[in-house]
Structure formats: structure tokens, C-alpha cells
Amino acid sequence: MPITAIRGFNDILPGDSDIWRRIESEAYRLFSGYGFSEIRTPVAEKAELFLRSIGETTDIVEKEMYTFEDRHGDSLALRPEGTAPVVRAYIEHKLYIAPVSKLYYTGPMFRYERPQKGRYRQFYQIGAEVMGDDSPRADAEALSMLMSFFAKIGVAGVELHINSLGDANCRPAYKEKLKAYLAGVKGALCENCLRRMDTNPLRALDCKASGCIEATKDAPSIVDSLCEGCASHFGTVRKYLALSGIDARINPRMVRGLDYYTKTTFEITSTALGSQNAVAAGGRYDGLVKELGGPETPCFGFAIGMERVALILKETASHAGSPLTVFIALGEKAEEASIPILRSWREKGSKVMEEFSPGSLKSRMKRADRLGARYTVIMGDDELAKGEVAVKDMLTSAQERLSFDAALMRILSE
Ligand code: HAM
């Protein structure tokens, strides 16, 4: 029996990988323009890092972490997200010496979730973190950059949902209010929400169980319970989003699955996806750097779900890579002459693959067709002597003789 990949872990095959590369390069180009630099952190960290940052009573830590002991007995985890590792590196390498650090990253994350379309156990994120800026304008600018990214890449139907989760000033009082409300609807809550009611009552607002959704319909809204500082921060974020021409829907039930957030949180959804419709999410986390042993550092960040963006682009947008040309040299002389010609064509940006099989011209043309060639270029002794090649348009079947340079122009003009 052949060995298959681990459930929820995917191969990214040729064709799809062109889309992935485009997503990554568009993001890097755009983010660099806003002053971000790349950071790369390891795929595994000490498990404690995630317990102390994401929170011990979150689904990610309780149920979804790939935690294991190494041969030394240390408890390690495959990273379920990228923010905590970036914060760890920020503190460890004293990046806080700079007044603001703007960092972006990409790579695989691991969560033991139930695999379905758009949800995997190994998935890739492109993330960005603005570290050391408490201004609400930083939140609005990062959100505006993210919306530009989706527009540029061609992801349709994106909607921005925002909320504020308050801070240490106002959240404790809100938690108490919510706890009192939940106590009144206790009978309708699921086991998980009941268990977390005292330690993490906000989770009930995020619960997908129908009983909990119904029971929390009239729960007090966090937005109505913000202190003056948080309310003013939220107001300024909304004002600058409006100035940037961005529509934002306020969703006071959006509490996110990670405990480190303060003030602004958000999700971007796309109508082009099914139930797993969040293409990016994030928010402000002003307490995390200090919590993990660094200096007080207000931060804002987000992560984009690469698989979900790739799914949308594959289904909706035109993403044709540069067209392929197959080159067939007939006979030893033409084969030798093809080497410098093809090298120069490739240096000038064409995508050419030479066809080496020993069969008849007819069978080689068939192979070129099956390889998906847009053009097939044929060079035999006769063409070579005249400095020409035969160029066949595989869509129309029209064939013409062109000089080497004119042939290159033709295949580059697509
Ligand atoms: P998150 O909401 O857990 O946030 O994940 C961000 C995005 O990653 C989601 O919106 C989704 O597109 C994608 N994603 C999450 N889980 C899966 C999965 N199992 N399969 C496929 N895609 C998935 C974070 O991870 C935070 N670190 C974001 C952040 C950065 N907050 C501040 N800075």
C-alpha cells in the first residue's frame, strides 16, 4: 500500500504553487512599502510559550496543539500561530531597542482541528506585526494595507468585521457583567462554556453550539462597556478607516480564539468561501510583550490564511502564469545549437522547456501539447542554416518560420 500524507497536511502541487508564489510576492512587495522587514522563526518552540500567550483555556491550547517531548524530556510544540514566536524573538534579540519594529513572516502553522475545505492541520500564514506603536492610526494603517492586499491580489467580496475587547481597565468589569448574564442562562450552555464560565466567560460569545448562540443573543455588548481610553481608541480607528474609504462592520460578539488581544480585534471574511470564510484576522495585543518578560510594548498585527486565499484565486481570478514554450531540436547539430539559444531566451524572460524524447516529430508534438505548450518551436538542420525556427501556435495550429529574435518576440508577447 502506498504511503499517503498525514490527514490535514497538504501537498502544494505545480500550478497551485504558482498561485502561492504570487500571493507571497505581492504581500512582500506591498508590506515592504509600509516599512516591514521579514523575520523567520523556528517551526517548534517551548510549549510554555503558547500556554502563556494564547491562553490555557483557549481551544488552541486545550485541544489543538501538537505538543511532544523531545529526547531530552523538554515539552515542545509545533507553532499553532506566528505572533507568540515573533514576540519571543523580539524580546530575546532586544529588537525593542528600535522605537518601532514592523515585522512580517510566512510559514506553516499546526493545529489539530477537524480537517475540511479551508481548514487544515498544517496551514500557512502570512503575518505582520507592528511592535511599539500604541496609536489607533497604526491599527487603521495596517488594516488599510491588508485591504489593499486583497484588492491587489483579486480576492473578491471581502468584508472587514471589527470589535474592541477593551483592556485591563474595563474588561474585568465587563467579564463580571457577562458572567452574571451567563449564570442566568446556564441551563442552555454547552459543557465547554459552562466549564470556562468563571475563567474565560468571553469564549461563550464565540461558541458555535446552537444552544450557546441562542442563549447569548442578548448578552451585554463589550462595546458598550469600554472605558474612555478604549472607546476613544476604537473611535479613532473607525474614523481613519472611514478616511481610507474602508467599510467596517462592528461585531461585538467577535472575541477571537486567542487570549492575548486588547482593544481592536478584527476578521476579514470573503463571500467567495464557504463556512471557513475568514481570510485574515488579528488585532491589538498591548500586554503580551510584557507578559512574556519584555518591556511594555503596544502591538498590533494580523495573519492571512494562505490556503483560503489560494482557494479563492484558483476558483475565481485569472492566474495564468507565463505561457510555456516547448522547443524541439531535430538532429545532433540542432540539439547542440539549441543550448546557447535557449539560455539566451530564458535570460530574456521566456519559459521554455526542451523536449528530448527520441520519437518522431509527430509524437514529440503530441507530447508538447500534453505538456500544455502555448507555442512549440521546431529547429532542424534547414532552419538552423538560415538562422530560423518554425513556431507553431498550439491554439490556432498556425505555423510560421521566424528568425531567432522574432521567435523570441512572439513567445514573449503572450
Ligand atoms: P487566527 O485567527 O487564529 O489568528 O488565524 C489567522 C488566519 O489563519 C485565519 O483567519 C485563517 O485564514 C487562517 N487559519 C487559521 N486556522 C486555520 C486552519 N486550521 N486551516 C487553514 N487556515 C487557518 C492568528 O493566528 C493570530 N496570530 C493573528 C495575529 C497576528 N494577531 C495578531 N498578530
mmCIF file with all atom_site columns, all heavy atoms in Angstrom, residues 280-305:
data_model
loop_
_atom_site.group_PDB
_atom_site.id
_atom_site.type_symbol
_atom_site.label_atom_id
_atom_site.label_alt_id
_atom_site.label_comp_id
_atom_site.label_asym_id
_atom_site.label_entity_id
_atom_site.label_seq_id
_atom_site.pdbx_PDB_ins_code
_atom_site.Cartn_x
_atom_site.Cartn_y
_atom_site.Cartn_z
_atom_site.occupancy
_atom_site.B_iso_or_equiv
_atom_site.pdbx_formal_charge
_atom_site.auth_seq_id
_atom_site.auth_comp_id
_atom_site.auth_asym_id
_atom_site.auth_atom_id
_atom_site.pdbx_PDB_model_num
ATOM 1   N N   . ALA A 1 280 ? -8.358 36.505 6.868  1.00 0.00 ? 280 ALA A N   1
ATOM 2   C CA  . ALA A 1 280 ? -7.313 37.114 7.695  1.00 0.00 ? 280 ALA A CA  1
ATOM 3   C C   . ALA A 1 280 ? -7.945 37.549 9.007  1.00 0.00 ? 280 ALA A C   1
ATOM 4   O O   . ALA A 1 280 ? -9.155 37.773 9.071  1.00 0.00 ? 280 ALA A O   1
ATOM 5   C CB  . ALA A 1 280 ? -6.697 38.324 6.997  1.00 0.00 ? 280 ALA A CB  1
ATOM 6   N N   . ALA A 1 281 ? -7.111 37.665 10.035 1.00 0.00 ? 281 ALA A N   1
ATOM 7   C CA  . ALA A 1 281 ? -7.636 38.089 11.330 1.00 0.00 ? 281 ALA A CA  1
ATOM 8   C C   . ALA A 1 281 ? -6.490 38.583 12.192 1.00 0.00 ? 281 ALA A C   1
ATOM 9   O O   . ALA A 1 281 ? -5.320 38.303 11.907 1.00 0.00 ? 281 ALA A O   1
ATOM 10  C CB  . ALA A 1 281 ? -8.344 36.922 12.012 1.00 0.00 ? 281 ALA A CB  1
ATOM 11  N N   . GLY A 1 282 ? -6.836 39.327 13.227 1.00 0.00 ? 282 GLY A N   1
ATOM 12  C CA  . GLY A 1 282 ? -5.795 39.805 14.125 1.00 0.00 ? 282 GLY A CA  1
ATOM 13  C C   . GLY A 1 282 ? -6.321 40.861 15.058 1.00 0.00 ? 282 GLY A C   1
ATOM 14  O O   . GLY A 1 282 ? -7.528 40.930 15.319 1.00 0.00 ? 282 GLY A O   1
ATOM 15  N N   . GLY A 1 283 ? -5.409 41.695 15.523 1.00 0.00 ? 283 GLY A N   1
ATOM 16  C CA  . GLY A 1 283 ? -5.817 42.753 16.429 1.00 0.00 ? 283 GLY A CA  1
ATOM 17  C C   . GLY A 1 283 ? -4.662 43.277 17.244 1.00 0.00 ? 283 GLY A C   1
ATOM 18  O O   . GLY A 1 283 ? -3.492 42.973 16.976 1.00 0.00 ? 283 GLY A O   1
ATOM 19  N N   . ARG A 1 284 ? -5.017 44.048 18.273 1.00 0.00 ? 284 ARG A N   1
ATOM 20  C CA  . ARG A 1 284 ? -4.024 44.696 19.132 1.00 0.00 ? 284 ARG A CA  1
ATOM 21  C C   . ARG A 1 284 ? -3.731 43.794 20.328 1.00 0.00 ? 284 ARG A C   1
ATOM 22  O O   . ARG A 1 284 ? -4.622 43.121 20.841 1.00 0.00 ? 284 ARG A O   1
ATOM 23  C CB  . ARG A 1 284 ? -4.595 46.052 19.557 1.00 0.00 ? 284 ARG A CB  1
ATOM 24  C CG  . ARG A 1 284 ? -3.698 46.898 20.388 1.00 0.00 ? 284 ARG A CG  1
ATOM 25  C CD  . ARG A 1 284 ? -4.097 48.356 20.386 1.00 0.00 ? 284 ARG A CD  1
ATOM 26  N NE  . ARG A 1 284 ? -3.561 49.043 19.222 1.00 0.00 ? 284 ARG A NE  1
ATOM 27  C CZ  . ARG A 1 284 ? -2.275 49.394 19.045 1.00 0.00 ? 284 ARG A CZ  1
ATOM 28  N NH1 . ARG A 1 284 ? -1.376 49.132 19.989 1.00 0.00 ? 284 ARG A NH1 1
ATOM 29  N NH2 . ARG A 1 284 ? -1.874 50.005 17.959 1.00 0.00 ? 284 ARG A NH2 1
ATOM 30  N N   . TYR A 1 285 ? -2.478 43.757 20.726 1.00 0.00 ? 285 TYR A N   1
ATOM 31  C CA  . TYR A 1 285 ? -2.123 42.956 21.916 1.00 0.00 ? 285 TYR A CA  1
ATOM 32  C C   . TYR A 1 285 ? -1.087 43.741 22.710 1.00 0.00 ? 285 TYR A C   1
ATOM 33  O O   . TYR A 1 285 ? 0.098  43.474 22.667 1.00 0.00 ? 285 TYR A O   1
ATOM 34  C CB  . TYR A 1 285 ? -1.628 41.554 21.519 1.00 0.00 ? 285 TYR A CB  1
ATOM 35  C CG  . TYR A 1 285 ? -0.560 41.506 20.451 1.00 0.00 ? 285 TYR A CG  1
ATOM 36  C CD1 . TYR A 1 285 ? 0.779  41.327 20.777 1.00 0.00 ? 285 TYR A CD1 1
ATOM 37  C CD2 . TYR A 1 285 ? -0.882 41.643 19.104 1.00 0.00 ? 285 TYR A CD2 1
ATOM 38  C CE1 . TYR A 1 285 ? 1.768  41.278 19.815 1.00 0.00 ? 285 TYR A CE1 1
ATOM 39  C CE2 . TYR A 1 285 ? 0.102  41.612 18.128 1.00 0.00 ? 285 TYR A CE2 1
ATOM 40  C CZ  . TYR A 1 285 ? 1.428  41.435 18.488 1.00 0.00 ? 285 TYR A CZ  1
ATOM 41  O OH  . TYR A 1 285 ? 2.398  41.413 17.521 1.00 0.00 ? 285 TYR A OH  1
ATOM 42  N N   . ASP A 1 286 ? -1.589 44.700 23.483 1.00 0.00 ? 286 ASP A N   1
ATOM 43  C CA  . ASP A 1 286 ? -0.698 45.636 24.173 1.00 0.00 ? 286 ASP A CA  1
ATOM 44  C C   . ASP A 1 286 ? 0.005  45.030 25.385 1.00 0.00 ? 286 ASP A C   1
ATOM 45  O O   . ASP A 1 286 ? 1.002  45.579 25.850 1.00 0.00 ? 286 ASP A O   1
ATOM 46  C CB  . ASP A 1 286 ? -1.497 46.875 24.611 1.00 0.00 ? 286 ASP A CB  1
ATOM 47  C CG  . ASP A 1 286 ? -1.896 47.739 23.416 1.00 0.00 ? 286 ASP A CG  1
ATOM 48  O OD1 . ASP A 1 286 ? -1.334 47.528 22.314 1.00 0.00 ? 286 ASP A OD1 1
ATOM 49  O OD2 . ASP A 1 286 ? -2.761 48.622 23.572 1.00 0.00 ? 286 ASP A OD2 1
ATOM 50  N N   . GLY A 1 287 ? -0.497 43.885 25.897 1.00 0.00 ? 287 GLY A N   1
ATOM 51  C CA  . GLY A 1 287 ? 0.090  43.346 27.131 1.00 0.00 ? 287 GLY A CA  1
ATOM 52  C C   . GLY A 1 287 ? 1.045  42.190 26.917 1.00 0.00 ? 287 GLY A C   1
ATOM 53  O O   . GLY A 1 287 ? 1.733  41.773 27.848 1.00 0.00 ? 287 GLY A O   1
ATOM 54  N N   . LEU A 1 288 ? 1.117  41.642 25.707 1.00 0.00 ? 288 LEU A N   1
ATOM 55  C CA  . LEU A 1 288 ? 1.803  40.354 25.536 1.00 0.00 ? 288 LEU A CA  1
ATOM 56  C C   . LEU A 1 288 ? 3.322  40.422 25.714 1.00 0.00 ? 288 LEU A C   1
ATOM 57  O O   . LEU A 1 288 ? 3.921  39.529 26.316 1.00 0.00 ? 288 LEU A O   1
ATOM 58  C CB  . LEU A 1 288 ? 1.447  39.759 24.163 1.00 0.00 ? 288 LEU A CB  1
ATOM 59  C CG  . LEU A 1 288 ? 1.981  38.356 23.898 1.00 0.00 ? 288 LEU A CG  1
ATOM 60  C CD1 . LEU A 1 288 ? 1.489  37.371 24.945 1.00 0.00 ? 288 LEU A CD1 1
ATOM 61  C CD2 . LEU A 1 288 ? 1.600  37.876 22.505 1.00 0.00 ? 288 LEU A CD2 1
ATOM 62  N N   . VAL A 1 289 ? 3.953  41.477 25.201 1.00 0.00 ? 289 VAL A N   1
ATOM 63  C CA  . VAL A 1 289 ? 5.420  41.543 25.299 1.00 0.00 ? 289 VAL A CA  1
ATOM 64  C C   . VAL A 1 289 ? 5.821  41.570 26.775 1.00 0.00 ? 289 VAL A C   1
ATOM 65  O O   . VAL A 1 289 ? 6.719  40.846 27.208 1.00 0.00 ? 289 VAL A O   1
ATOM 66  C CB  . VAL A 1 289 ? 5.975  42.775 24.530 1.00 0.00 ? 289 VAL A CB  1
ATOM 67  C CG1 . VAL A 1 289 ? 7.484  42.874 24.695 1.00 0.00 ? 289 VAL A CG1 1
ATOM 68  C CG2 . VAL A 1 289 ? 5.610  42.695 23.043 1.00 0.00 ? 289 VAL A CG2 1
ATOM 69  N N   . LYS A 1 290 ? 5.107  42.387 27.556 1.00 0.00 ? 290 LYS A N   1
ATOM 70  C CA  . LYS A 1 290 ? 5.415  42.479 28.999 1.00 0.00 ? 290 LYS A CA  1
ATOM 71  C C   . LYS A 1 290 ? 5.139  41.130 29.683 1.00 0.00 ? 290 LYS A C   1
ATOM 72  O O   . LYS A 1 290 ? 5.931  40.629 30.478 1.00 0.00 ? 290 LYS A O   1
ATOM 73  C CB  . LYS A 1 290 ? 4.541  43.583 29.601 1.00 0.00 ? 290 LYS A CB  1
ATOM 74  C CG  . LYS A 1 290 ? 4.771  43.824 31.055 1.00 0.00 ? 290 LYS A CG  1
ATOM 75  C CD  . LYS A 1 290 ? 5.049  45.290 31.337 1.00 0.00 ? 290 LYS A CD  1
ATOM 76  C CE  . LYS A 1 290 ? 5.586  45.495 32.731 1.00 0.00 ? 290 LYS A CE  1
ATOM 77  N NZ  . LYS A 1 290 ? 4.584  46.037 33.624 1.00 0.00 ? 290 LYS A NZ  1
ATOM 78  N N   . GLU A 1 291 ? 4.024  40.534 29.331 1.00 0.00 ? 291 GLU A N   1
ATOM 79  C CA  . GLU A 1 291 ? 3.613  39.242 29.899 1.00 0.00 ? 291 GLU A CA  1
ATOM 80  C C   . GLU A 1 291 ? 4.703  38.181 29.697 1.00 0.00 ? 291 GLU A C   1
ATOM 81  O O   . GLU A 1 291 ? 4.932  37.329 30.541 1.00 0.00 ? 291 GLU A O   1
ATOM 82  C CB  . GLU A 1 291 ? 2.319  38.833 29.170 1.00 0.00 ? 291 GLU A CB  1
ATOM 83  C CG  . GLU A 1 291 ? 1.673  37.546 29.590 1.00 0.00 ? 291 GLU A CG  1
ATOM 84  C CD  . GLU A 1 291 ? 1.048  37.647 30.968 1.00 0.00 ? 291 GLU A CD  1
ATOM 85  O OE1 . GLU A 1 291 ? 0.554  38.745 31.307 1.00 0.00 ? 291 GLU A OE1 1
ATOM 86  O OE2 . GLU A 1 291 ? 1.094  36.630 31.694 1.00 0.00 ? 291 GLU A OE2 1
ATOM 87  N N   . LEU A 1 292 ? 5.384  38.266 28.547 1.00 0.00 ? 292 LEU A N   1
ATOM 88  C CA  . LEU A 1 292 ? 6.409  37.256 28.246 1.00 0.00 ? 292 LEU A CA  1
ATOM 89  C C   . LEU A 1 292 ? 7.808  37.702 28.681 1.00 0.00 ? 292 LEU A C   1
ATOM 90  O O   . LEU A 1 292 ? 8.807  37.111 28.279 1.00 0.00 ? 292 LEU A O   1
ATOM 91  C CB  . LEU A 1 292 ? 6.383  36.919 26.750 1.00 0.00 ? 292 LEU A CB  1
ATOM 92  C CG  . LEU A 1 292 ? 5.117  36.193 26.260 1.00 0.00 ? 292 LEU A CG  1
ATOM 93  C CD1 . LEU A 1 292 ? 5.167  35.947 24.759 1.00 0.00 ? 292 LEU A CD1 1
ATOM 94  C CD2 . LEU A 1 292 ? 4.902  34.876 26.986 1.00 0.00 ? 292 LEU A CD2 1
ATOM 95  N N   . GLY A 1 293 ? 7.864  38.769 29.478 1.00 0.00 ? 293 GLY A N   1
ATOM 96  C CA  . GLY A 1 293 ? 9.146  39.144 30.072 1.00 0.00 ? 293 GLY A CA  1
ATOM 97  C C   . GLY A 1 293 ? 9.872  40.299 29.410 1.00 0.00 ? 293 GLY A C   1
ATOM 98  O O   . GLY A 1 293 ? 11.016 40.593 29.759 1.00 0.00 ? 293 GLY A O   1
ATOM 99  N N   . GLY A 1 294 ? 9.252  40.966 28.448 1.00 0.00 ? 294 GLY A N   1
ATOM 100 C CA  . GLY A 1 294 ? 9.890  42.113 27.786 1.00 0.00 ? 294 GLY A CA  1
ATOM 101 C C   . GLY A 1 294 ? 9.364  43.421 28.348 1.00 0.00 ? 294 GLY A C   1
ATOM 102 O O   . GLY A 1 294 ? 8.566  43.430 29.289 1.00 0.00 ? 294 GLY A O   1
ATOM 103 N N   . PRO A 1 295 ? 9.812  44.548 27.785 1.00 0.00 ? 295 PRO A N   1
ATOM 104 C CA  . PRO A 1 295 ? 9.316  45.834 28.263 1.00 0.00 ? 295 PRO A CA  1
ATOM 105 C C   . PRO A 1 295 ? 7.901  46.097 27.748 1.00 0.00 ? 295 PRO A C   1
ATOM 106 O O   . PRO A 1 295 ? 7.458  45.467 26.782 1.00 0.00 ? 295 PRO A O   1
ATOM 107 C CB  . PRO A 1 295 ? 10.296 46.834 27.632 1.00 0.00 ? 295 PRO A CB  1
ATOM 108 C CG  . PRO A 1 295 ? 10.852 46.142 26.431 1.00 0.00 ? 295 PRO A CG  1
ATOM 109 C CD  . PRO A 1 295 ? 10.813 44.672 26.715 1.00 0.00 ? 295 PRO A CD  1
ATOM 110 N N   . GLU A 1 296 ? 7.220  47.003 28.398 1.00 0.00 ? 296 GLU A N   1
ATOM 111 C CA  . GLU A 1 296 ? 5.862  47.385 27.969 1.00 0.00 ? 296 GLU A CA  1
ATOM 112 C C   . GLU A 1 296 ? 5.908  47.790 26.483 1.00 0.00 ? 296 GLU A C   1
ATOM 113 O O   . GLU A 1 296 ? 6.621  48.720 26.115 1.00 0.00 ? 296 GLU A O   1
ATOM 114 C CB  . GLU A 1 296 ? 5.447  48.585 28.807 1.00 0.00 ? 296 GLU A CB  1
ATOM 115 C CG  . GLU A 1 296 ? 4.033  49.019 28.615 1.00 0.00 ? 296 GLU A CG  1
ATOM 116 C CD  . GLU A 1 296 ? 3.205  48.729 29.872 1.00 0.00 ? 296 GLU A CD  1
ATOM 117 O OE1 . GLU A 1 296 ? 3.757  48.798 30.990 1.00 0.00 ? 296 GLU A OE1 1
ATOM 118 O OE2 . GLU A 1 296 ? 2.037  48.414 29.689 1.00 0.00 ? 296 GLU A OE2 1
ATOM 119 N N   . THR A 1 297 ? 5.188  47.072 25.622 1.00 0.00 ? 297 THR A N   1
ATOM 120 C CA  . THR A 1 297 ? 5.267  47.358 24.185 1.00 0.00 ? 297 THR A CA  1
ATOM 121 C C   . THR A 1 297 ? 3.891  47.158 23.547 1.00 0.00 ? 297 THR A C   1
ATOM 122 O O   . THR A 1 297 ? 3.443  46.018 23.384 1.00 0.00 ? 297 THR A O   1
ATOM 123 C CB  . THR A 1 297 ? 6.268  46.394 23.477 1.00 0.00 ? 297 THR A CB  1
ATOM 124 O OG1 . THR A 1 297 ? 7.489  46.381 24.211 1.00 0.00 ? 297 THR A OG1 1
ATOM 125 C CG2 . THR A 1 297 ? 6.539  46.799 22.051 1.00 0.00 ? 297 THR A CG2 1
ATOM 126 N N   . PRO A 1 298 ? 3.217  48.227 23.170 1.00 0.00 ? 298 PRO A N   1
ATOM 127 C CA  . PRO A 1 298 ? 1.921  48.057 22.500 1.00 0.00 ? 298 PRO A CA  1
ATOM 128 C C   . PRO A 1 298 ? 2.116  47.527 21.074 1.00 0.00 ? 298 PRO A C   1
ATOM 129 O O   . PRO A 1 298 ? 3.021  47.972 20.366 1.00 0.00 ? 298 PRO A O   1
ATOM 130 C CB  . PRO A 1 298 ? 1.345  49.478 22.486 1.00 0.00 ? 298 PRO A CB  1
ATOM 131 C CG  . PRO A 1 298 ? 2.531  50.378 22.595 1.00 0.00 ? 298 PRO A CG  1
ATOM 132 C CD  . PRO A 1 298 ? 3.605  49.629 23.325 1.00 0.00 ? 298 PRO A CD  1
ATOM 133 N N   . CYS A 1 299 ? 1.295  46.566 20.678 1.00 0.00 ? 299 CYS A N   1
ATOM 134 C CA  . CYS A 1 299 ? 1.484  45.938 19.359 1.00 0.00 ? 299 CYS A CA  1
ATOM 135 C C   . CYS A 1 299 ? 0.149  45.746 18.650 1.00 0.00 ? 299 CYS A C   1
ATOM 136 O O   . CYS A 1 299 ? -0.907 45.610 19.296 1.00 0.00 ? 299 CYS A O   1
ATOM 137 C CB  . CYS A 1 299 ? 2.101  44.554 19.497 1.00 0.00 ? 299 CYS A CB  1
ATOM 138 S SG  . CYS A 1 299 ? 3.695  44.527 20.300 1.00 0.00 ? 299 CYS A SG  1
ATOM 139 N N   . PHE A 1 300 ? 0.238  45.666 17.332 1.00 0.00 ? 300 PHE A N   1
ATOM 140 C CA  . PHE A 1 300 ? -0.938 45.340 16.513 1.00 0.00 ? 300 PHE A CA  1
ATOM 141 C C   . PHE A 1 300 ? -0.464 44.410 15.398 1.00 0.00 ? 300 PHE A C   1
ATOM 142 O O   . PHE A 1 300 ? 0.614  44.614 14.838 1.00 0.00 ? 300 PHE A O   1
ATOM 143 C CB  . PHE A 1 300 ? -1.524 46.616 15.888 1.00 0.00 ? 300 PHE A CB  1
ATOM 144 C CG  . PHE A 1 300 ? -2.762 46.355 15.067 1.00 0.00 ? 300 PHE A CG  1
ATOM 145 C CD1 . PHE A 1 300 ? -4.027 46.426 15.655 1.00 0.00 ? 300 PHE A CD1 1
ATOM 146 C CD2 . PHE A 1 300 ? -2.674 46.014 13.709 1.00 0.00 ? 300 PHE A CD2 1
ATOM 147 C CE1 . PHE A 1 300 ? -5.173 46.160 14.912 1.00 0.00 ? 300 PHE A CE1 1
ATOM 148 C CE2 . PHE A 1 300 ? -3.817 45.738 12.967 1.00 0.00 ? 300 PHE A CE2 1
ATOM 149 C CZ  . PHE A 1 300 ? -5.064 45.822 13.569 1.00 0.00 ? 300 PHE A CZ  1
ATOM 150 N N   . GLY A 1 301 ? -1.262 43.403 15.071 1.00 0.00 ? 301 GLY A N   1
ATOM 151 C CA  . GLY A 1 301 ? -0.828 42.513 13.999 1.00 0.00 ? 301 GLY A CA  1
ATOM 152 C C   . GLY A 1 301 ? -1.958 41.715 13.395 1.00 0.00 ? 301 GLY A C   1
ATOM 153 O O   . GLY A 1 301 ? -3.108 41.792 13.848 1.00 0.00 ? 301 GLY A O   1
ATOM 154 N N   . PHE A 1 302 ? -1.606 40.970 12.362 1.00 0.00 ? 302 PHE A N   1
ATOM 155 C CA  . PHE A 1 302 ? -2.615 40.136 11.695 1.00 0.00 ? 302 PHE A CA  1
ATOM 156 C C   . PHE A 1 302 ? -1.956 38.955 11.023 1.00 0.00 ? 302 PHE A C   1
ATOM 157 O O   . PHE A 1 302 ? -0.730 38.930 10.852 1.00 0.00 ? 302 PHE A O   1
ATOM 158 C CB  . PHE A 1 302 ? -3.390 40.953 10.644 1.00 0.00 ? 302 PHE A CB  1
ATOM 159 C CG  . PHE A 1 302 ? -2.535 41.456 9.507  1.00 0.00 ? 302 PHE A CG  1
ATOM 160 C CD1 . PHE A 1 302 ? -2.135 40.620 8.479  1.00 0.00 ? 302 PHE A CD1 1
ATOM 161 C CD2 . PHE A 1 302 ? -2.124 42.781 9.473  1.00 0.00 ? 302 PHE A CD2 1
ATOM 162 C CE1 . PHE A 1 302 ? -1.339 41.086 7.436  1.00 0.00 ? 302 PHE A CE1 1
ATOM 163 C CE2 . PHE A 1 302 ? -1.324 43.257 8.440  1.00 0.00 ? 302 PHE A CE2 1
ATOM 164 C CZ  . PHE A 1 302 ? -0.938 42.402 7.421  1.00 0.00 ? 302 PHE A CZ  1
ATOM 165 N N   . ALA A 1 303 ? -2.771 37.977 10.633 1.00 0.00 ? 303 ALA A N   1
ATOM 166 C CA  . ALA A 1 303 ? -2.275 36.873 9.815  1.00 0.00 ? 303 ALA A CA  1
ATOM 167 C C   . ALA A 1 303 ? -3.307 36.534 8.746  1.00 0.00 ? 303 ALA A C   1
ATOM 168 O O   . ALA A 1 303 ? -4.518 36.542 9.003  1.00 0.00 ? 303 ALA A O   1
ATOM 169 C CB  . ALA A 1 303 ? -1.978 35.650 10.673 1.00 0.00 ? 303 ALA A CB  1
ATOM 170 N N   . ILE A 1 304 ? -2.784 36.274 7.551  1.00 0.00 ? 304 ILE A N   1
ATOM 171 C CA  . ILE A 1 304 ? -3.616 35.910 6.397  1.00 0.00 ? 304 ILE A CA  1
ATOM 172 C C   . ILE A 1 304 ? -3.548 34.388 6.242  1.00 0.00 ? 304 ILE A C   1
ATOM 173 O O   . ILE A 1 304 ? -2.470 33.801 6.372  1.00 0.00 ? 304 ILE A O   1
ATOM 174 C CB  . ILE A 1 304 ? -3.040 36.545 5.110  1.00 0.00 ? 304 ILE A CB  1
ATOM 175 C CG1 . ILE A 1 304 ? -3.006 38.079 5.230  1.00 0.00 ? 304 ILE A CG1 1
ATOM 176 C CG2 . ILE A 1 304 ? -3.814 36.104 3.868  1.00 0.00 ? 304 ILE A CG2 1
ATOM 177 C CD1 . ILE A 1 304 ? -2.157 38.751 4.154  1.00 0.00 ? 304 ILE A CD1 1
ATOM 178 N N   . GLY A 1 305 ? -4.660 33.740 5.979  1.00 0.00 ? 305 GLY A N   1
ATOM 179 C CA  . GLY A 1 305 ? -4.680 32.292 5.743  1.00 0.00 ? 305 GLY A CA  1
ATOM 180 C C   . GLY A 1 305 ? -4.401 32.013 4.274  1.00 0.00 ? 305 GLY A C   1
ATOM 181 O O   . GLY A 1 305 ? -5.238 32.264 3.414  1.00 0.00 ? 305 GLY A O   1
#
